[in-house]
Structures are given as structure tokens and as C-alpha cells.
Amino acid sequence: MPRMGYSFPEEVLEHVFSFIQSDEDRNAISAVCRSWHDIERWSRRRVFVGNCYAISPKMVIRRFPEVRSIELKGKPHFADFNLVPEDWGGYVAPWISAMASAYPWLEEIRLKRMVITDESLELISKSFKNFKVLVLSSCEGFSTEGLAAIAANCRNLRELDLGESEVEDLSGHWLSHFPDNYTSLVSLNIACLGCEVSFSALERLVGRCPNLRTLRLNRAVPLDKLANLLCRAPQLVELGTGAYSSELRPDLFSNLSGAFSGCKELKSLSGFWDVVPGYLPAVYPICSKLTSLNLSYATIQSPELIKLVSQCQNLQRLWVLDYIEDAGLVALAASCKDLRELRVFPSDPFGPEPNVGLTEQGLVSVSEGCPKLQSVLYFCRQMSNAALITIARNRPNMTRFRLCIIEPQAPDYLTLQPLDVGFGAIVEHCKDLRRLSLSGLLTDRVFQYIGTHAKKLEMLSVAFAGESDLGLHHILSGCENLRKLEIRDCPFGDKALLANAAKLETMRSLWMSSCSVSFGACKLLGQKMPGLNVEVIDERSPPDSRPESCPIEKLYIYRTVSGPRFDMPGFVWTMAENPALRLS
Amino acid sequence: MSVPLEHDYIGLSEASPSMEGSERSSGGLNLKATELRLGLPGSGSPERENGVVAEDRAGYPLGMLKSLLVVSGAKRGFSDAIDGGSGKWVFSGSGGSEAELGKGGNLFSPRGVNGSGKGGLGGGSECANQNPGLGVPVLKDGVVPQSPKPLQEKKSQLSAPAAKAQVVGWPPIRSFRKNSMASHPPKNDDDSEGKFGSGCLYVKVSMDGAPYLRKVDLKNYGSYRELSSALEKMFSCFTIGQCGSHGVPSRDGLSESRLMDLLHGSEYVLTYEDKDGDWMLVGDVPWEMFTYSCKRMRIMKSSEAIGLAPRAMEKCKSRN
């Protein structure tokens, strides 16, 4: 037994550990010896649970009794695209009620893709006296009533961020529930709310909170009110406007421009719904300080975008619609040498024909001109292997690369070949690639390249690709650091899955929908792998009403230490260890 | 979003894949050679005495799958298809491997291929129907990516899409963004569901007494009749008296028509909430007007729906 645990008093070790924040490091510390394990667990203040079903609240609480901050994620990523049926799960209520008694000093709750009710929000607001941060990213299940409870009861609230949640808007008066003597707000993001919030309450709130740094308004806040708000909060660092439109009025314009000029700390801008181009110059005075610009809801054309972007020499992050076109991306590449992240969204994703002049060339230009570019999300309608190879060679420092060619299985438009070689170049050159999304026409070969080269890859998204189980096998056997794999509409079946079953326990989760995995294989996996929950999702009818060789609709496999969950709806079956326990 | 790199301080990193193998063989699956084996290479497989790990693809997958296939009885067929010497996979595309698999391998029936299902009867047809009424269409024009299939064939199938079929969840754009890009900015909308997006129009449908609700894309239908038959299929399993413990239908084949009877009879009516927040009977206004104004739907008991019909007509008149 190591004696070193006794050479320092506990307090000293605890003090040393308090400088160690990363989960990986703390996990390593707790493996040293019993005494370090104990000291560490009592001093861990922040817990991240990447899959809320991987462990039970009770287990977390038992191991870490003094947590102040918790982050939980629920539904799989493909839920964002309506692939996960309603009511699949991701309920946070059991966590909230367990923590309400166990963690009276809890300060922060961050949730992603979870279902949270007004009751839970109320419980939060009443149970945690020092509650400071509530972040709800892509959550649902609650209404403005729950927000009213938070506003009314959380005296120490610093941050309320509703992300892109689906909130039932019952009334805009919830904001008035912040008491008059409440002044500690630092960050407020209500951009997702549909209805108007009580504007006078908002103004007063903004006016009395001197530490307010982030304010993301919703679309319903009209442009003529924005100047007033900005004047009350010139210390803002991040601003999301409401609707950016109004009839062109000189007085309104000069007020707005003056207000923006007064915000000397402003670094991040977003919002810009319904933009009237005539008002864009109001932000010109602050462009050179901007590091983050989200114009992905702004329906402005390339010339205006170019004028704007050319002034943002310090831009690190740009989200924009494909209205920017190739020409705009060339201008971006010329002006924004510090660019780290680019996301280009489609303005007309369902239209059959291209509506804008955005092609693969735009991305090539940015890859050439922006040496720090590491993170890309790009929607376009044509791509070539040559372009991908160029991008890969230009940017070996790429860490996240998500390409969505809008037409499924679109080939290289120049050669009509699959895009295997292009994506192969990406994984070969970008040795630190952590996230990759594929699209276009792809054979099993691309997976061979990925399995061979993408050694740091943690998350892979695949759609309408591959030819056989070999594809899946390459991924599972080659990608050593793979944590999340999501697949839809690929001809992958049982073989690769069963042959790589053990790999699944080294990953957070695997999603497969509209593939060729049979019910029999799922049952087998469930029986043989007790450390996994193998969830079969089938809205047609119970899978055991068909032959075992029939493919199931959707499959979600994740590792867990707490066994099958008990909150599944009728169309989800967990393949259990003991066949007798299986619900049928 | 960034994940810290693993630090292997004292060789005790959390989830190092290379550790898995040795841990596994000491702990768990200690099955005989002829039994189904699931595990990483090196964990007890007779072909891999020296435990070479994942990099070397040559022999490893062969070993795993051979032992897999002992169970299913298609071992001989499979190894014929594989060039054992070089260790390279010889998946020719369609002919070879499908035929081999068909011999007895019942674990791996590619979609759409008839007759190789276990138990045969009804296997082929049930498997082949991959387009359940609503639920989850793969590709509406019926093309489903097959396992081994020549590339050319696949390409030609897909290069002639007549009408642009809406594939669920493609392109991958979040609902919030889709709804925000609506051609009609929200006037006084509270519910971000079901806004008029340019391509899909998801609305929630609930049914009194059903354990969970569904979402449908109104753009998939051209008429009330199509909508109603899709809803019948979706909710047929919930008709009172037909449900098992999970609300799924018993297999007596009556469930689908039962809901139709109920809807056309007097027990349930289909209603919807419009943009003004009023609940109306479905069917009173022209279809296009309905899709424009519908925010969500509810299959409600007739007893609760009294008084809806007249208002629908009044509203329609006052709008025009």
C-alpha cells in the first residue's frame, strides 16, 4: 500500500486538489489510493454526466457528496433532427428531486436535450439557496410559469440561459417576477422565446444589474427599444438583438448607432432576425472589436455581408447563411485572419435547386486564407475530392469538420466519383480531428481511411453512406478514441456490430436508425453485454411480433452502470441480460 | 465542447481501449471455442494467441466472425467468400456474399431480400415493407440503401428522383432554425412548434387516454383524408380495449379499423388548435388554410368537443 497518502495532512492534499479542475485528472487522482480517493470525492465540486442514463442520481450523490455544479445530457444528438420520437426520455425530474435533498448548496445546473417540467423548475428555485446558474440547452417540457418561479425565488441568480429550448409561452410577465432588489444578473439568454416579454420589466432589470455582461433578446423585442436597453447596459460584452427591422428613420438610426458606440466592451453579436440592411451600419463602430458574430438568421445578401465582415478584423467565430456566397467567403478570408470557427447554414435547404452562389470554392478560400481555422460546419450543394484534398492540406490543424452536402449521396460533381478520397485526405492530414460529419456519395473505402487515420476522432456522424458491414467494422475497430457514433440510413447490419461488441463499452453511445440491424442481433447484444443498455426503438409494433431477422427501426446503445431505465415509453425496449425479464 | 485529453499518470487511465482486452479475459467471457464469442482481439480467441490489437485487420475480424458464424451455421459459406490467405475482404458487391449468406445465415438478411428470414413464413414480406405509414419513412420514394449492392446500381436509382421526397431529419437542421427561417414571421405565436417552415410543418398530435403523443409533418399530406388515415395508423394501437401494458396493439388485426370506426362513430373527434389559440374541429376549413393555421392537434372524446363546430364556421367567415 502506498505510504505517500500519509505524508501530507488531508488539508494540504485537499488544497492541492482544488487546483485540479479537469475530470480526467480528478479521475486519475482518485485511482491512486484509498485515501486520495476519499479526499478527492469529498472535494469534487463539479460533475459532468454525458448521458443521464449512464448512472443514477443516487450513485453520483453517494460518491460525490459536495457537488456545487452539475451538467447532464439527455437525448441523443439526432433528436435535434426529429429522429428520436417524442417522449423517448431524458427526464431530469429524478435528478432534481434527489439533488434537492442531497445538495442544498448546489449552485449550477446545466442541461442539454432534457425534459424539464415547471415543477422541477419550481423545486430548483426553492431548494437551492445559493443557486446561481441555470443553462437549458435544447430542452423542453416547461413553460414561462417555471421561469417565473426561478425569477421570483433565486435571489443569487447570475445566469439564466434558455439556449434553443422549446418553451411554452403562457405569458411574458414572468420577467416581472424578479424582485426589485434583485441586482445580480450577469447573463440572460431568452432568444428562443416566442412571445413578448414585459418590456418595461426588462428595461428595469437591465438598468439595475450593473454586472450584466450577456443579453440575448428574443425576436419580439423591436428595434426601436434596443437603443434604450444598450444605453442602460453599456458594459455589455455579448448582445443578441431582437428583430432588426423598422422603417428607416434617421433619429432611430442615430440613436442606435450612438448606443452601439457606447458599448466599448462588446465582443459578440447575434440575433438579427428580419434584417433591414439600412440599419446594419449602426453596428459598424464596434465591428473591429468583435470576436464572435452570429448572422445565421440574417437574411441579408452578399454585398451587405461583405461590407460588414470586412470590418471585423478580429473575428474568431462567424455563423452565417449561405447568402454570403463564395465571394463573401473570399472577403472573409482576406479580412479575418484570426478566424477559428465558421458555420454556413442553408437559406433554402428544401428547395430543389441552388438559390445562391455558394459552392465548395467558398470553403476552399477560407481554408487558404485563415490559418487558425479549426472548426467548420458547412452546408452546400456540390463538393469535389479535389476541394476536400486542398482543404485538408491547407488546414491540418482542423479539429471539427462537418460537411453537409444537401443532396444525399451526391458524388464528386466533377468526376462523379465517390468522395472517399476527399474525406480520406481530411482524416489523414488533420491528425487532431475530434469531430467529423460525412455526406455525399461514400463507399466502404472512406471508412477504411477513417479507421486507419482518425485516431483522435471522438464523434462521427454518418448518413446514407457505405456499402456493407465492412464500413462499420472499420470505424469500430480503428477509431480508438471514438465516444459517440451516430448513423442513419446506411447498409450496416449485424456482423460488424456483434464483432465489435466490446468496443461499445468504451464509447458513450451508438445510434443507428434505418440500417439493417436485426432484432436477433439486438437481443444477443443485450444478453452478452450487461454493461450496455441496448434500446430498440420501433414505432410500428413490438419487434418480437416479427421474425428475429427483421431489421429494427432505430437502435440506441449506451454504456451504463445503472442497468435498464424504467421511464421508457411503449415503443422502446431494452434488451435485457435475462430474457425472462424482457418486456414483451 | 472540448474534451480534455486523457492523462495516464500512473497507468490507470479511465477507459483506455487497449486495456479492455486483458481486463475482459480475466473477468468475464470465458466461453468455449465453439460458442459465440464477443470481445476485442486477444481476449481468448484461438486464432489470436499473440493478442495483436486492432491495427492489424488481417486476421482478426476473420477470427471473430468465424466464431460468430459457428452458431448460425454459415461458417463454410462465409469463409468461401473471404480470401483467407491475404486476409482481405472479398465482398464483391451483390452476388457472392448474398448467396453465401443466404445458405443458412439467418442473422444477416439484408433488407428487401426475400426468403432468408428465419422461420420463413411472412418473414420476407414483413421485412421488405420498410415504409410504415407515418412513423419513420426512410426515403419516401422507396429506395433503401441495401447491404451489398453495386455502386452503379445505387447511383442510378438515386439519380432520378422525380418529386423531391422529404426525408425525415435531412438536411440536418434543428427545429429552432427551421422555424425561425419561416417565410412568415411569427405574429403572436407562443408555440414554436408547427410554424410554417419551408419544407416541413411538424405539429404535435395527442389523443385523450393515450400514454404519449406524436409529431406529424402536415406537409406530407395533401388532404384531410390522407391525414386522417395516417393518424388512424399511428393511434390505432391506443384505441380503448386494444392496448397491452405498453399501449401496443394485440395482433388480432382489428386495431387499425377500430379507430376509424371510433372516429367516424361518435366516440372521438379530431380537433386542432389554431394560431389564435382556439380549438376547432378538423375538416371545416379548406385544407391549405388548415395547414397554415394548425398549431397542434388533439384526438378528443366527443363529449368534450361539444360546441366546436359552429365556431369553426364563424371564424372562417370572419376571416374572409
Side-chain angles (χ1 to χ4, degrees):
Chain A
M1 266 307 290
R3 295 254 169 229
M4 65 174 144
Y6 300 110
S7 42
F8 291 111
E10 252 186 48
E11 297 78 28
V12 175
L13 282 172
E14 214 178 294
H15 181 68
V16 172
F17 294 172
S18 69
F19 292 98
I20 299 178
Q21 305 296 337
S22 118
D23 287 343
E24 307 290 312
D25 294 348
R26 278 190 164 259
N27 291 345
I29 287 174
S30 49
V32 167
C33 64
R34 186 85 234 160
S35 123
W36 281 36
H37 184 274
D38 274 344
I39 298 169
E40 192 284 315
R41 67 181 259 269
W42 280 94
S43 67
R44 194 172 310 209
R45 297 282 176 263
R46 189 165 44 194
V47 170
F48 168 76
V49 181
N51 173 5
C52 64
Y53 291 120
I55 190 167
S56 70
K58 204 160 83 168
M59 285 170 159
V60 174
I61 290 168
R62 192 168 59 214
R63 177 156 176 205
F64 301 116
E66 296 280 343
V67 165
R68 300 276 185 273
S69 161
I70 187 151
E71 182 174 350
L72 299 167
K73 295 189 178 182
K75 302 186 204 175
H77 174 240
F78 272 177
D80 286 354
F81 317 127
N82 289 311
L83 288 176
V84 179
E86 292 290 297
D87 300 333
W88 168 84
Y91 304 107
V92 79
W95 289 85
I96 306 293
S97 43
M99 294 190 300
S101 34
Y103 293 152
W105 300 111
L106 191 69
E107 295 177 3
E108 305 182 352
I109 294 177
R110 293 179 171 81
L111 306 178
K112 188 165 187 179
R113 288 189 207 99
M114 294 200 75
V115 179
I116 179 167
T117 58
D118 287 342
E119 287 73 26
S120 289
L121 285 170
E122 192 168 340
L123 190 56
I124 289 172
S125 75
K126 300 207 163 125
S127 310
F128 309 117
K129 298 297 169 217
N130 205 20
F131 195 67
K132 298 196 171 120
V133 172
L134 183 62
V135 177
L136 302 174
S137 226
S138 302
C139 294
E140 59 173 349
F142 62 105
S143 77
T144 44
E145 290 303 301
L147 297 178
I150 295 284
N153 300 316
C154 299
R155 299 302 164 116
N156 293 311
L157 193 71
R158 305 263 161 90
E159 185 175 337
L160 177 60
D161 181 342
L162 301 180
E164 290 185 346
S165 298
E166 277 178 25
V167 185
E168 200 180 337
D169 280 316
L170 297 176
S171 123
H173 290 296
W174 65 272
L175 205 68
S176 324
H177 288 250
F178 281 111
D180 289 334
N181 60 358
Y182 166 75
T183 58
S184 47
L185 194 62
V186 172
S187 169
L188 181 66
N189 177 0
I190 54 169
C192 65
L193 292 183
C195 73
E196 277 180 29
V197 289
S198 151
F199 191 75
S200 54
L202 179 62
E203 262 190 337
R204 279 179 281 118
L205 180 63
V206 166
R208 68 177 183 270
C209 294
N211 299 320
L212 191 66
R213 280 204 309 268
T214 298
L215 180 64
R216 307 260 189 216
L217 304 168
N218 62 340
R219 197 171 186 168
V221 175
L223 191 58
D224 55 7
K225 308 275 205 209
L226 185 58
N228 259 343
L229 276 177
L230 289 180
C231 290
R232 284 166 200 245
Q235 76 283 3
L236 276 182
V237 176
E238 300 183 323
L239 171 73
T241 73
Y244 205 77
S245 65
S246 177
E247 340 162 312
L248 287 170
R249 286 163 34 199
D251 58 322
L252 182 48
F253 181 88
S254 61
N255 283 346
L256 193 57
S257 182
F260 271 115
S261 309
C263 294
K264 308 284 185 204
E265 312 294 322
L266 211 46
K267 290 209 174 53
S268 165
L269 275 185
S270 63
F272 295 106
W273 284 285
D274 315 313
V275 176
V276 162
Y279 278 105
L280 278 176
V283 305
Y284 287 174
I286 49 145
C287 278
S288 58
K289 297 209 196 87
L290 290 180
T291 56
S292 169
L293 186 53
N294 181 353
L295 295 168
S296 63
Y297 297 102
T299 50
I300 40 180
Q301 304 302 315
S302 188
E304 277 99 26
L305 283 165
I306 292 176
K307 267 189 256 177
L308 189 53
V309 151
S310 313
Q311 301 184 57
C312 302
Q313 299 87 6
N314 287 308
L315 206 59
Q316 294 178 15
R317 170 167 42 193
L318 177 66
W319 292 21
V320 73
L321 286 170
D322 56 8
Y323 290 128
I324 195 168
E325 299 192 330
D326 289 345
L329 291 175
V330 168
L332 178 70
S335 315
C336 306
K337 295 304 186 186
D338 209 20
L339 196 70
R340 321 272 164 107
E341 178 181 328
L342 174 66
R343 296 196 193 188
V344 178
F345 296 94
S347 53
D348 186 20
F350 304 107
E353 298 297 322
N355 61 324
V356 290
L358 180 101
T359 68
E360 79 284 5
Q361 272 317 304
L363 187 55
V364 171
S365 312
V366 180
S367 76
E368 272 160 11
C370 301
K372 297 201 187 149
L373 186 69
Q374 332 166 304
S375 172
V376 167
L377 169 62
Y378 199 76
F379 283 80
C380 61
R381 288 179 186 264
Q382 66 184 43
M383 186 50 62
S384 65
N385 283 309
L388 283 170
I389 293 169
T390 305
I391 292 165
R393 289 197 177 132
N394 286 339
R395 293 276 62 78
N397 52 328
M398 190 86 71
T399 54
R400 295 182 185 84
F401 189 74
R402 292 192 279 165
L403 179 67
C404 178
I405 305 165
I406 290 183
E407 179 68 32
Q409 297 177 316
D412 175 326
Y413 77 100
L414 295 168
T415 64
L416 297 184
Q417 292 300 302
L419 290 169
D420 299 335
V421 170
F423 280 106
I426 295 279
V427 293
E428 195 181 334
H429 290 272
C430 307
K431 301 202 189 313
D432 289 323
L433 196 69
R434 293 199 306 266
R435 185 167 180 185
L436 178 64
S437 297
L438 306 172
S439 58
L441 183 64
L442 298 164
T443 71
D444 286 344
R445 248 199 330 157
V446 71
F447 300 112
Q448 187 177 359
Y449 294 139
I450 293 173
T452 305
H453 295 287
K455 294 307 181 188
K456 299 271 179 73
L457 193 66
E458 295 176 7
M459 182 169 177
L460 179 64
S461 308
V462 186
F464 306 104
E467 304 158 286
S468 74
D469 271 57
L470 197 49
L472 179 57
H473 175 66
H474 284 308
I475 303 171
L476 292 176
S477 58
C479 297
E480 289 157 5
N481 279 299
L482 196 64
R483 290 188 302 120
K484 289 180 280 183
L485 178 58
E486 46 185 24
I487 299 173
R488 61 161 298 175
D489 294 275
C490 295
F492 300 148
D494 302 337
K495 283 178 296 229
L497 204 55
L498 292 173
N500 293 283
K503 171 72 174 173
L504 299 175
E505 273 193 359
T506 70
M507 293 164 54
R508 182 187 297 173
S509 65
L510 166 66
W511 169 277
M512 290 178 74
S513 56
S514 306
C515 297
S516 306
V517 180
S518 73
F519 183 53
C522 296
K523 283 205 295 191
L524 199 55
L525 261 181
Q527 282 162 23
K528 296 296 178 188
M529 307 295 293
L532 298 177
N533 274 355
V534 178
E535 289 190 10
V536 170
I537 300 167
D538 210 312
E539 287 178 286
R540 297 170 291 182
S541 57
D544 59 5
S545 62
R546 288 183 293 272
E548 283 205 355
S549 54
C550 267
I552 48 147
E553 264 181 10
K554 301 174 181 182
L555 176 63
Y556 185 49
I557 299 176
Y558 53 91
R559 66 179 171 187
T560 178
V561 293
S562 61
R565 57 184 176 113
F566 300 111
D567 58 0
M568 298 180 299
F571 50 82
V572 178
W573 293 266
T574 300
M575 307 291 104
E577 263 168 82
N578 182 350
L581 289 177
R582 217 170 37 78
L583 315 158
S584 68
Chain B
M1 202 194 132
S2 66
V3 173
L5 296 172
E6 280 188 81
H7 290 285
D8 190 357
Y9 284 99
I10 324 176
L12 291 170
S13 45
E14 196 72 21
S16 165
S18 55
M19 305 279 295
E20 279 301 293
S22 45
E23 280 167 10
R24 178 89 358 106
S25 51
S26 55
L29 307 178
N30 208 359
L31 309 169
K32 293 196 290 262
T34 51
E35 282 183 11
L36 188 67
R37 198 91 49 74
L38 298 170
L40 283 182
S43 51
S45 159
E47 282 93 349
R48 309 276 345 146
E49 300 293 320
N50 43 359
V52 175
V53 286
E55 326 296 328
D56 178 2
R57 286 196 306 285
Y60 139 68
L62 180 59
M64 281 299 109
L65 288 175
K66 267 188 180 166
S67 56
L68 248 186
L69 289 162
V70 167
V71 175
S72 69
K75 176 179 180 177
R76 192 171 297 122
F78 204 78
S79 55
D80 285 350
I82 292 184
D83 180 4
S86 67
K88 279 214 279 279
W89 292 96
V90 181
F91 262 52
S92 55
S94 58
S97 37
E98 266 181 26
E100 307 302 342
L101 291 174
K103 269 188 199 152
N106 45 33
L107 261 178
F108 327 117
S109 31
R111 257 210 211 130
V113 173
N114 286 331
S116 54
K118 189 178 192 170
L121 208 58
S125 53
E126 288 223 27
C127 290
N129 176 18
Q130 291 304 317
N131 229 346
L134 216 262
V136 193
V138 175
L139 289 172
K140 297 281 282 304
D141 57 3
V143 174
V144 169
Q146 306 283 340
S147 77
K149 202 164 185 138
L151 206 52
Q152 296 310 110
E153 204 179 307
K154 213 195 296 190
K155 273 201 294 189
S156 60
Q157 271 181 325
L158 288 154
S159 60
K164 218 40 156 207
Q166 278 308 338
V167 178
V168 174
W170 190 267
I173 299 170
R174 289 184 170 186
S175 312
F176 181 77
R177 179 168 298 281
K178 272 197 278 221
N179 294 335
S180 294
M181 296 302 295
S183 41
H184 302 262
K187 289 168 287 201
N188 190 19
D189 276 335
D190 21 333
D191 193 355
S192 62
E193 305 286 303
K195 283 219 183 89
F196 205 74
S198 53
C200 67
L201 186 56
Y202 277 98
V203 297
K204 286 186 176 169
V205 187
S206 61
M207 174 166 169
D208 288 354
Y212 53 88
L213 50 78
R214 308 285 196 127
K215 256 184 172 165
V216 299
D217 179 358
L218 289 183
K219 288 258 169 124
N220 283 337
Y221 315 107
S223 68
Y224 284 118
R225 199 167 31 84
E226 287 175 35
L227 172 65
S228 137
S229 86
L231 289 179
E232 277 153 24
K233 286 203 183 81
M234 269 202 290
F235 284 94
S236 56
C237 57
F238 296 140
T239 55
I240 311 300
Q242 294 288 344
C243 299
S245 57
H246 288 281
V248 288
S250 48
R251 303 294 296 173
D252 61 5
L254 292 177
S255 37
E256 277 191 25
S257 54
R258 182 70 192 272
L259 180 65
M260 198 183 319
D261 293 342
L262 288 172
L263 284 183
H264 293 168
S266 57
E267 205 169 324
Y268 286 94
V269 288
L270 183 58
T271 63
Y272 72 102
E273 183 183 5
D274 73 357
K275 283 195 183 318
D276 299 331
D278 297 319
W279 284 92
M280 326 262 276
L281 279 183
V282 168
D284 288 342
V285 300
W287 172 255
E288 286 72 26
M289 190 182 292
F290 167 71
T291 58
Y292 176 69
S293 55
C294 173
K295 265 172 36 183
R296 72 180 115 193
M297 287 190 276
R298 182 173 152 204
I299 302 174
M300 71 167 75
K301 295 214 167 78
S302 308
S303 47
E304 291 187 36
I306 295 169
L308 283 183
R311 272 162 64 209
M313 289 317 292
E314 275 168 29
K315 277 196 106 144
C316 186
K317 284 181 198 140
S318 67
R319 277 216 184 90
N320 307 328

